[in-house]
Amino acid sequence: QVQLVESGGGLVQAGGSLRLSCAASGSIFSINTMGWYRQAPGKQRELVAAITKGGTANYADSRKGRFTISRDNAKNTVYLQMNSLQPEDQAVYYCNAEIVKLIGRPQPYWGQGTQVTVSS
């Protein structure tokens, strides 16, 4: 069994910052790419940022410069530092990780989501 548990969401004023964390636990041999997605009401889930096991990060264009993704492989944890938050950043943020178990092919897992609310 694998679990991804997110934390760090909440209410922030426009221009403020939040740091999201996502810790993976369970029957894990290793983790490939980890990432953050978000979904606003009435919209599709979209990629925010992703980071490989080696630390190469990719960002959706609109988040470059404001958001920073990082990970701690020893802790099976990925972080998302979000600065200069705007009302359009308001959404439920989901953690995603490609988990490698001892047996079987790598599989994607999702966290339960954490709400980010930005007041104007």
Side-chain angles (χ1 to χ4, degrees), residues 2 27-30 99-107 109:
V2 172
S27 303
I28 298 171
F29 179 71
S30 67
I99 304 292
V100 181
K101 296 187 176 183
L102 285 174
I103 298 175
R105 305 177 69 175
Q107 296 289 336
Y109 287 84

Side-chain angles (χ1 to χ4, degrees), residues 12-18 66 82-87 89 118-120:
V12 65
Q13 287 189 331
S17 299
L18 284 175
R66 296 192 300 124
M82 303 185 292
N83 299 327
S84 301
L85 283 162
Q86 300 302 316
D89 295 315
V118 183
S119 63
S120 57

